[in-house]
Amino acid sequence: MYINDLNLSSLVVAEPGESYHSGVTLNAWVEVLVDCPGTTTEVEKGPNLYLYRLPTGLEVKPGDILNVPFGAQHLTGVAIRLVAKPPADLPLEKIRDVEDVIQKKFFRDSYWTLMERVSQYYYTQMIQVIRTALPPGLLGRSQRRIRLTVAGASVSTNTNINGLLDTPLMRVIRQPYSCLIQFYLLNTIENNNLIKILALLSFQSLVAKVNNKDANRILQLLQQQSDGDYSFRYLQNQVPRAYQAVRELLRRGLVESYLEPPQLTKPKFEKAVTLVGSTLDRDLTTRQREILEVLRRRGGELWQSELLQVCNASSSIVKTLAQKGCIVIEEREVLRTEQSPALAQDRPKTLNADQASALATIQALNGFAQVLLHGVTGSGKTEVYLQAIAPLLNQGKSALVLVPEIGLTPQLTDRFRARFGNKVSVYHSALSDGERYDTWRQMIAGDPQVVIGTRSAIFAPLPNLGLIILDEEHDSSFKQDSPIPTYHARTVAQWRAELENCALVLGSATPSLESWLTVKEEDAGKEGHEDTENLSQTLFASPRPPLPASSYYLSLPERINSRPLPPVEIVDMREELQQGNRSIFSRSLQEALQQLKERQQQGILFIHRRGHSTFVSCRSCGYVLECPYCDVSLAYHHTEEGAPELLRCHYCNYTRSHPKFCPDCSSPYLKFFGSGTQKVTQELARQFPELRLIRFDSDTTRNKGAHRTLLTQFANGEADLLVGTQMLTKGLDLPQVTLVGVVAADGLLNLSDYRASERAFQTLTQVAGRAGRGDDPGRVIVQTYTSEHAVIQAVRSHDYQSFSQAELEQRQALNYPPYGRLILLRLSSLDPIQVQNTAQIIATALSANEELEILGPAPAGILRVANRYRWQILIKFAPDELPQLPDWEQVRSLCPQSVSLTIDVDPLNIM
């Protein structure tokens, strides 16, 4: 028996001798969807619903987020429904009480429906979808952790001694003590390292080694971690039979186990001081009167910390004033939000004819509709967004704007805040947990606002949503590969716009083929397929072709003020080499870079890879330094002169120092191969010392606020050249940039992915569009070894239509998206044989369904990542007639416990 709206506030506690006055049963219970350990797999194996008792005085409604006891832990869950009577077979003494309500009325009906759609479409358990939607720290649970003891830190595992002891030379030395002294005398080992190694060698002689292979591996992992501390779940993912190994280490006292309580985010409070009454006729010292005068001049209210700083006073004086009744000190909540610089008020700009037509169409929409806003780079799509949002805020509605990269949010946020002031909020993963928590609470309050964020912001709990915008909708960053759910923000945005009955605007200069084909098919109607070229001419002939009421195509074919698109010059690097140019810069690019300083202009240099060199190899024996945990080479990173030379894995982030000698043959002749942003920056500094450079990649933007700082420096003219990776291609508006150079376009083309051509065209077209957005004309130079490639030729002429037509023909012939649908099964395990056998078993079982085309099983493009061996199976089928898809419960039952299975629906990355 369920009561969905049971109100407990009417219950009155009886005095002795009296009865309880209530129209409902005294005891009430609630079913809670609990985020319990061991239920974080991709497919829910059954509803994780548990019954809890509601304690007296605690009011709970469906959709509230609760804190509940679960075993020895306290976990977070969602109230699903209220129950007036527990099941007869459940003893009442086993039902535990709800601890507290964390957040009331979070899940509205439409929001809950959205969660269910994501859960069902992406085959993910509901609680995992909820964890993705909520800010970090709201859903928390305690976890078992393992940390080293002093004895465990000293056990010899060949990892806690300096790498000098693990060289080929030292492996054959039987007396390490004397040899270390000799190395020290020869100045080949530092004094600090010598003391550290000798101390470890001495202490290790007192502690027995660990012979169990799995236990030894766990000790290695803990010794490599700076704090010697890992969660037990992580160790289980890294080491087979981790449970038995940890028990052995606990028995020997080499590690200890402890339970870490959940780290829940809470509101932040600070003390505020308020002036009350008059200071006349009071027994006050001169110092106390000075403080009160400062408070009066500041409006009668200040944060206590600010008051103490301004007056250079101690808190005891303030407490004394409060005791005398002059002031009141109280705790007030402080909202933690992203700070942005003060901005001058911006006014709406005059639109050209194409912009005005697009805006009129968007503003005329009433209810759910999907709009593809196809505008060339620099055509003023952002101004259309701004003017489309303005009337919605006046109507009390909110807008959600999604961008693909965190690096885009500062520039876009500044434009929006200059127009809408403090009604603009930012929500993305680079914010602190507290900032995300407070921003999330502001959103749920329901005030009209604009939220700008990355893909996770699609779950922003805006209760009165009037418009959703996906800027650069083609970008693959909108798709989540891991962790689950593997959702695409564009797909979820379509569902959400439908549920909220509002418009969805997809903006791009290079639309995804999925969005383009949707327009094509709806324009063609049900009379048959039209020729793509004719369609393209139709679409660009009019900004508003006749489309069904639910879908619109809007075109911005020209740049603002009729500025021309920059000419693209293709440089064949094969010819450069034949003519004696061995530099990574062509002569044309060198000339253009030289002119930057002379003309006092700025430029952008795009490189496909970060780091210095893609790999390091020994010139004597050919040995390549590889990651010990992944099947990839280590990339060389050079931060600055005099800094340690580091080798880093770009997959698991393993880092080691660059060796002086080859680990295999002890040769000193190690050479760096390939070029990344660091090497290009070094070469630029050598060839063009007069150019001021800023490097803009994930290495230089790790710190909070780094994106804004670097872009502000460049916009203020503090550098002549911005050197970076794909972050530079995504929507940056820098009017002063006149030159864009692409150092090596081939790295984008030669990838074993059916989407490689589409991504390459989008990336090159987008980065080319950064040039010539101001008053001065732009110039683009693309260096390549395959100048005849169809993608390169399409980029040269800014020809999206011909490229999309050729690419769609190939996709249709092979039944790849957008004509076909894909589901990718990713399997991984620490055991290479077991994961291969499991992949084969699953592929054989799936082959029984004749409606499905099974590709694989096959090893992933990189077989081993973070010590886990990876195999994958690709399922292909037609989207029109949805086949009988596999029972994923049965598929998962074929996986042993040591094999992890991830189901990636509509994958973008199949490497």
Side-chain angles (χ1 to χ4, degrees), residues 52-106:
Y52 287 87
R53 181 187 293 108
L54 293 176
T56 303
L58 186 66
E59 184 175 358
V60 172
K61 291 187 178 181
D64 291 352
I65 299 175
L66 311 177
N67 184 266
V68 295
F70 191 90
Q73 310 178 67
H74 280 82
L75 306 179
T76 310
V78 181
I80 301 301
R81 52 187 174 182
L82 298 174
V83 181
K85 185 177 180 181
D89 58 348
L90 182 61
L92 292 179
E93 61 271 14
K94 290 190 175 182
I95 303 178
R96 306 175 71 176
D97 288 356
V98 172
E99 286 288 332
D100 197 7
V101 177
I102 298 176
Q103 178 67 47
K104 286 184 172 292
K105 301 178 182 178
F106 174 70

Side-chain angles (χ1 to χ4, degrees), residues 495 599 668 753:
W495 297 335
R599 299 177 179 177
D753 190 330

Side-chain angles (χ1 to χ4, degrees), residues 592-609:
L593 290 172
Q594 192 66 46
Q595 292 174 351
L596 275 183
K597 195 70 175 179
E598 298 171 358
R599 299 177 179 177
Q600 296 184 340
Q601 296 174 338
Q602 290 181 304
I604 287 176
L605 213 55
F606 169 69
I607 301 97
H608 181 50
R609 295 177 179 273

Side-chain angles (χ1 to χ4, degrees), residues 490-528:
R490 184 178 60 227
T491 303
V492 180
Q494 291 168 346
W495 297 335
R496 185 155 191 200
E498 184 180 358
L499 290 169
E500 301 284 355
N501 197 31
C502 70
L504 168 65
V505 177
L506 307 176
S508 177
T510 53
S512 64
L513 293 181
E514 285 83 358
S515 299
W516 179 259
L517 187 64
T518 298
V519 174
K520 171 181 183 280
E521 288 181 338
E522 294 198 9
D523 185 69
K526 298 183 179 180
E527 300 177 358

Side-chain angles (χ1 to χ4, degrees), residues 370-439:
Q370 180 171 311
V371 176
L372 176 60
L373 182 60
H374 184 188
V376 298
T377 55
S379 58
K381 294 185 289 292
T382 303
E383 185 63 30
V384 174
Y385 301 156
L386 289 165
Q387 297 195 27
I389 290 173
L392 295 176
L393 295 176
N394 295 331
Q395 298 168 21
K397 296 183 178 181
S398 295
L400 179 59
V401 182
L402 302 186
V403 294
E405 283 279 356
I406 293 173
L408 277 182
T409 55
Q411 194 174 49
L412 197 66
T413 301
D414 287 350
R415 287 199 62 181
F416 273 74
R417 282 181 173 156
R419 189 72 57 89
F420 302 126
N422 58 7
K423 292 183 179 180
V424 178
S425 301
V426 177
Y427 192 81
H428 53 69
S429 59
L431 300 178
S432 69
D433 288 356
E435 288 173 333
R436 293 177 72 179
Y437 177 69
D438 285 353
T439 302

Side-chain angles (χ1 to χ4, degrees), residues 363-592:
Q363 291 181 333
L365 297 175
N366 185 18
F368 169 65
Q370 180 171 311
V371 176
L372 176 60
L373 182 60
H374 184 188
V376 298
T377 55
S379 58
K381 294 185 289 292
T382 303
E383 185 63 30
V384 174
Y385 301 156
L386 289 165
Q387 297 195 27
I389 290 173
L392 295 176
L393 295 176
N394 295 331
Q395 298 168 21
K397 296 183 178 181
S398 295
L400 179 59
V401 182
L402 302 186
V403 294
E405 283 279 356
I406 293 173
L408 277 182
T409 55
Q411 194 174 49
L412 197 66
T413 301
D414 287 350
R415 287 199 62 181
F416 273 74
R417 282 181 173 156
R419 189 72 57 89
F420 302 126
N422 58 7
K423 292 183 179 180
V424 178
S425 301
V426 177
Y427 192 81
H428 53 69
S429 59
L431 300 178
S432 69
D433 288 356
E435 288 173 333
R436 293 177 72 179
Y437 177 69
D438 285 353
T439 302
W440 173 78
R441 289 169 57 235
Q442 279 184 288
M443 291 188 284
I444 207 171
D447 296 330
Q449 57 192 290
V450 181
V451 173
I452 301 174
T454 49
R455 63 170 177 258
S456 61
I458 188 57
F459 298 109
L462 294 167
N464 195 13
L465 196 55
L467 181 65
I468 302 175
I469 297 172
L470 259 74
D471 194 29
E472 310 297 343
E473 66 87 23
H474 65 276
D475 199 280
S476 60
S477 298
F478 283 123
K479 178 70 163 68
Q480 178 154 303
D481 290 329
S482 65
I484 56 170
T486 58
Y487 68 96
H488 198 302
R490 184 178 60 227
T491 303
V492 180
Q494 291 168 346
W495 297 335
R496 185 155 191 200
E498 184 180 358
L499 290 169
E500 301 284 355
N501 197 31
C502 70
L504 168 65
V505 177
L506 307 176
S508 177
T510 53
S512 64
L513 293 181
E514 285 83 358
S515 299
W516 179 259
L517 187 64
T518 298
V519 174
K520 171 181 183 280
E521 288 181 338
E522 294 198 9
D523 185 69
K526 298 183 179 180
E527 300 177 358
H529 296 284
E530 296 182 359
D531 180 77
T532 307
E533 184 176 356
N534 294 335
L535 172 70
S536 304
Q537 295 172 356
T538 302
L539 291 174
F540 276 85
S542 168
R544 240 187 310 170
L547 290 177
S550 61
S551 182
Y552 296 83
Y553 176 87
L554 305 176
S555 173
L556 303 178
E558 292 185 357
R559 283 187 159 187
I560 297 293
N561 298 327
S562 299
R563 295 187 182 108
L565 289 169
V568 179
E569 177 185 348
I570 307 298
V571 179
D572 193 326
M573 296 301 287
R574 294 169 295 188
E575 296 179 2
E576 290 287 315
L577 183 62
Q578 291 173 1
Q579 296 173 12
N581 182 12
R582 297 182 178 274
S583 169
I584 59 176
F585 306 123
S586 64
R587 290 167 300 175
S588 180
L589 185 55
Q590 291 179 32
E591 178 187 354

